Amino acid sequence: MLENISSTKVAGGWHKQYTHPATSTHCTMRFAVFLPPGASETNKVPVLYWLSGLTCTDENFMQKAGAFKKAAELGIAIVAPDTSPRGDNVPNDDNYDFGQGAGFYLNATQAPFNTHFNMYDYVVDELPELIEQHFPVTSTKAISGHSMGGHGALMVALKNPKAYVSASAFSPIVNPINCPWGIKAFTGYLGNDKSLWAQYDTCELMKLAKQDDYLPMLATQGGADGFLEEQLKPQNLVAVAHEKAYPLTLEMQEGYDHSYFFISSFIDQHLLFHSQFLTA
C-alpha cells in the first residue's frame, strides 16, 4: 500500500517520501522519513515524529531544518507527516489558517470536515503503526513540532503520555482556546461548544496531568516572533507548569523570529534533548 515517491541519500542515511491510502483521513496521505546510517532490521532505531505548522507539508522541516547530520550522529529516525488531508474531494477554505494545510492535529466533528480531518487519529495511531510495520524502527518514540505542530506535539504527548518518552516544540500554540488561530480552527472543526475544545488544548491538558504521567518537555521560543503575544502565549503554559511542577523547560531566544532560520539554529539542541530519552 505504500508508494515510494522519492529517495535521496543524505548525511550517510536516507530521506524518503511515501504516499499511502489512509483509513483515518479517507484520502491519500504523504509523509517523509529520514533513516540514519546503519538502520536495519537487525539494528532498529528510535523515532522522532515532527509535526509542522500552518501551510506546511512534510517537506518544510525535511528541507529547511538541517536536522539530518545530528540525527545521523545520534541514530534517530525522523518521520514528518503532512499537516492535513488533501485532495480534490477534501473540503478546504480560502484562508491559510483553516482547511487543507491547517488540520490542527485534532479529530473534526463538524461537517463537512469530519470525514477527512482526523489528523489526531492519523498521527497517534495509524502513522506509527505503519512506520513500525514497514521501517527498521523500534516502538520507542518522541514527538516535536513547530507552531500549529508545536501545539500538536505537546497536546498529543499530554494525551498519550505512555506512548512517548519526551516532547518538544518550537513556537507552539500552547493555548488555542484563547487565541485567534485556535478559536477559528476549533469553531470550524469542533463546533461552538467550547467544552469540547479543552481536549485539544495544551494548557488545559497539563492542568489535568497526573504526576505519574509527566513527560520531559522542552519549548523554544523566539523573542522577536511576530505571533508571540497574540497567538502563542507561552507564559500561559509556563504558569500551569509552575503550578503543577511539570518538567517543562521554556527557553526564550532573543532576536529570533517564527521561521526555519530559527528552527535550524536550535534543532540540534532538541535532538540532543530527545536522545537522552530515546536511547536510554
Side-chain angles (χ1 to χ4, degrees), residues 1-7 15-22 28-33 58 122 130-131 134-135:
M1 302 293 279
L2 280 181
E3 181 180 356
N4 178 219
I5 59 172
S6 76
S7 186
H15 169 270
K16 300 183 179 187
Q17 284 179 304
Y18 292 85
T19 59
H20 70 103
T28 297
M29 294 294 293
R30 190 176 77 186
F31 68 86
V33 57
D58 62 286
Y122 180 73
L130 191 73
I131 297 297
H134 292 281
F135 298 92

Side-chain angles (χ1 to χ4, degrees), residues 5 9 23 29 42 137 139 141 174 190 209 220 228 262 265:
I5 59 172
K9 192 165 187 177
T23 57
M29 294 294 293
T42 57
V137 301
S139 60
K141 53 188 182 288
V174 301
L190 302 173
T220 305
L228 180 58
F262 163 57
S265 299

